[in-house]
Amino acid sequence: MAEKILTPNNHIISGVIEVPGDKSISHRAIIMGSIANGTTEVSNFLNGEDCMRTIDVFESMGVKFEKNGTNITIHGKGIKSLKKPAEELYFGNSGTTARLLLGVLAGLPFQTTVAGDESLSKRPMNRVILPLREMGARINGKDGSEVLPLRIEHGQLTGIQYKLPVKSAQVKSAILLAGLYAANSTEVIEPTPTRDHTEHMLKAFGADIERNGLSTKISGDNSLYATNVTVPGDISSAAFLLTGAAIVPNSRLTIRRVGLNETRTGIIDVLIEMGSAIEITNSSIVNGELIGDVTITYTKLRGINIEGEIIPRLIDEIPIIALLATQAEGTTIIKDAEELRYKETDRIHAVTDVLTKLGAAIEGTADGMIIHGKTPLSGGEVSGYHDHRIAMMASIASLITTGEVVLDDDSSINISYPGFFQHLDQVQN
Ligand code: S3P
């Protein structure tokens, strides 16, 4: 536990900065590089705790990694040559490691047991277990439970057609990864688009995968071939600094080389609809992923409604959007976001608690929140709920509070944004 006291100052947010690599893409690069044939070079990898758990898991199964800062060389073992780990695999706090790895482990010819920390052990895994069982996987929890710890025994997988009942890229990805090991093809149909990094990366690694609207089909008995991956900056991390600039008058900030995949840019759409001035320059495509530089200039903000298909495109940004909305004129209503209750913590509860303590007018609802703006924020003592995105939201709030923000513990921030406070210092001028 490390308490953090954030003292207000009158600095504006300005400058040019690059945020660390994308968490979702970093996980996928490790997974695919490990099960590919040959050597994969990853650059701008996110050295955050969650992604380290994914590396640990593959190291325990015999994959060799060479690390040099944010560059990682992966000596892939091929899809079926991972070795049985000597011990239980530990996923820590990482939902992405857990869900995606269940898809891979289900296809391997040996038994594994997997576990996570206290928060991860409460998060729903049945959304992944049920379709994998339909494919022939044998995954069981203690006394019939469907949360971690779990035991995965070898089962011969067959492809299925699966209509996703939840809007979840992690579930979609788990099924597609299991599909690599199945005897015939697997098709996943989504209710609305969710982040599609798995699909882009499977293609880049040479898998036979076909997309058609909301359907993605992958052939069975697929192999992956090593390729090089450059990870774009994480838009979910950039969102915190962009919001800082959006709420501190006279700010102007540029974030370079950030991922702009449209399944992730709901935050940009929200900033624009609320009235922020956003410019996107230097766009290019890297490994099938759009990247570019984003510049935001402070303007007055207005409240908006956020609901429907945009929700999966900004699900991780809702905590920081709630803070943004406290500084917008009028009411912001967020709906259709019940999934927030199943993240690292119940984020509807955590966001409303923290922002209320800081002086905001916010109410939680069953599937979202209602924020009445614009309210001055006072400061106060808050909990980060051991959730990186809640701790960063509280820290960004301190840019506009009249008094100190005392955050009980800032260590969770290393999950997705090591160096967050150095960057925050760097852009306060
Ligand atoms: C992720 C998908 C999302 C997101 C999480 C990362 C991924 O979760 O919230 O932070 O990398 O696939 P869900 O699939 O549960 O929506």
Side-chain angles (χ1 to χ4, degrees):
M1 294 278 276
E3 186 181 82
K4 180 89 181 167
I5 300 176
L6 297 131
T7 313
N9 57 44
N10 290 322
H11 292 159
I12 61 158
I13 303 297
S14 66
V16 179
I17 198 152
E18 238 177 88
V19 296
D22 188 275
K23 180 156 85 69
S24 293
I25 297 177
S26 294
H27 279 297
R28 286 155 172 83
I30 296 302
I31 295 172
M32 293 190 208
S34 295
I35 60 173
N37 297 308
T39 303
T40 291
E41 306 278 354
V42 183
S43 55
N44 200 35
F45 175 76
L46 171 64
N47 281 313
E49 277 173 24
D50 274 12
C51 297
M52 294 306 168
R53 296 294 78 78
T54 300
I55 291 187
D56 293 347
V57 164
F58 283 102
E59 266 179 346
S60 317
M61 293 195 283
V63 179
K64 298 262 181 301
F65 295 87
E66 288 165 59
K67 300 176 203 151
N68 179 8
T70 60
N71 295 328
I72 301 214
T73 305
I74 311 169
H75 298 280
K77 296 215 34 114
I79 197 148
K80 286 188 178 144
S81 311
L82 295 170
K83 79 170 194 341
K84 181 174 163 57
E87 288 172 2
E88 180 176 82
L89 298 173
Y90 183 63
F91 299 152
N93 190 247
S94 179
T96 306
T97 311
R99 271 49 175 273
L100 271 59
L101 257 295
L102 285 178
V104 173
L105 297 175
L108 296 177
F110 46 76
Q111 183 192 304
T112 43
T113 52
V114 298
D117 73 2
E118 201 188 324
S119 147
L120 190 60
S121 302
K122 290 191 195 125
R123 294 178 66 185
M125 292 297 148
N126 57 349
R127 50 183 60 196
V128 186
I129 295 174
L130 298 180
L132 292 177
R133 277 190 190 144
E134 234 182 87
M135 294 177 82
R138 294 162 64 207
I139 306 179
N140 289 293
K142 270 192 199 141
D143 305 324
S145 86
E146 283 166 345
V147 289
L148 295 173
L150 293 165
R151 190 177 67 232
I152 303 117
E153 287 161 281
H154 177 57
Q156 180 52 53
L157 303 187
T158 38
I160 53 168
Q161 188 197 57
Y162 193 72
K163 281 198 174 146
L164 281 180
V166 274
K167 298 168 194 145
S168 165
Q170 292 177 348
V171 179
K172 170 179 64 175
S173 302
I175 300 168
L176 291 173
L177 289 167
L180 294 171
Y181 295 88
N184 49 339
S185 68
T186 296
E187 183 180 8
V188 184
I189 303 160
E190 301 193 78
T192 54
T194 63
R195 66 191 68 194
D196 60 0
H197 308 302
T198 301
E199 296 89 311
H200 282 300
M201 208 177 281
L202 280 167
K203 194 152 197 79
F205 275 85
D208 185 19
I209 180 167
E210 196 186 308
R211 300 176 68 188
N212 191 355
L214 293 169
S215 144
T216 305
K217 232 187 204 171
I218 187 150
S219 310
D221 255 335
N222 240 297
S223 284
L224 301 186
Y225 301 93
T227 185
N228 295 339
V229 179
T230 301
V231 181
D234 196 329
I235 180 115
S236 297
S237 298
F240 292 97
L241 301 182
L242 290 172
T243 300
I247 60 178
V248 175
N250 303 317
S251 295
R252 180 177 166 87
L253 179 73
T254 298
I255 308 205
R256 294 194 58 230
R257 300 185 64 74
V258 67
L260 294 171
N261 177 319
E262 68 164 350
T263 61
R264 298 284 300 282
T265 48
I267 177 68
I268 303 283
D269 296 359
V270 161
L271 282 164
I272 292 171
E273 204 184 330
M274 283 187 155
S276 275
I278 299 266
E279 282 164 73
I280 296 195
T281 51
N282 297 325
S283 308
S284 63
I285 304 271
V286 177
N287 301 119
E289 296 279 350
L290 182 65
I291 66 163
D293 300 347
V294 180
T295 300
I296 182 163
T297 309
Y298 172 86
T299 52
K300 285 201 169 120
L301 302 170
R302 54 181 173 266
I304 61 170
N305 290 343
I306 305 172
E307 60 188 298
E309 287 213 357
I310 197 170
I311 296 295
R313 297 179 54 235
L314 48 66
I315 189 73
D316 290 343
E317 286 63 76
I318 292 179
I320 196 67
I321 288 173
L323 170 65
L324 184 69
T326 67
Q327 300 310 302
E329 242 10 284
T331 300
T332 293
I333 303 177
I334 302 173
K335 285 187 191 163
D336 303 324
E338 199 205 340
E339 273 295 306
L340 290 175
R341 299 213 181 264
Y342 309 109
K343 297 295 175 189
E344 285 82 335
T345 186
D346 173 346
R347 285 186 176 157
I348 295 179
H349 170 75
V351 167
T352 48
D353 173 49
V354 171
L355 290 178
T356 303
K357 287 199 172 114
L358 296 181
I362 177 168
E363 301 148 48
T365 62
D367 67 346
M369 40 197 109
I370 302 172
I371 305 120
H372 303 283
K374 170 180 181 174
T375 44
L377 299 185
S378 51
E381 282 183 30
V382 295
S383 168
Y385 285 83
H386 308 292
D387 179 330
H388 51 135
R389 305 208 193 274
I390 301 299
M392 285 191 275
M393 176 199 72
S395 307
I396 295 293
S398 77
L399 300 176
I400 51 164
T401 49
T402 47
E404 277 177 352
V405 172
V406 181
L407 175 61
D408 65 341
D409 179 21
D410 66 357
S411 58
S412 63
I413 294 176
N414 284 328
I415 293 277
S416 64
Y417 200 156
F420 170 72
F421 287 113
Q422 285 93 308
H423 279 189
L424 201 52
D425 276 351
Q426 207 178 313
V427 298
Q428 292 185 73
N429 292 300

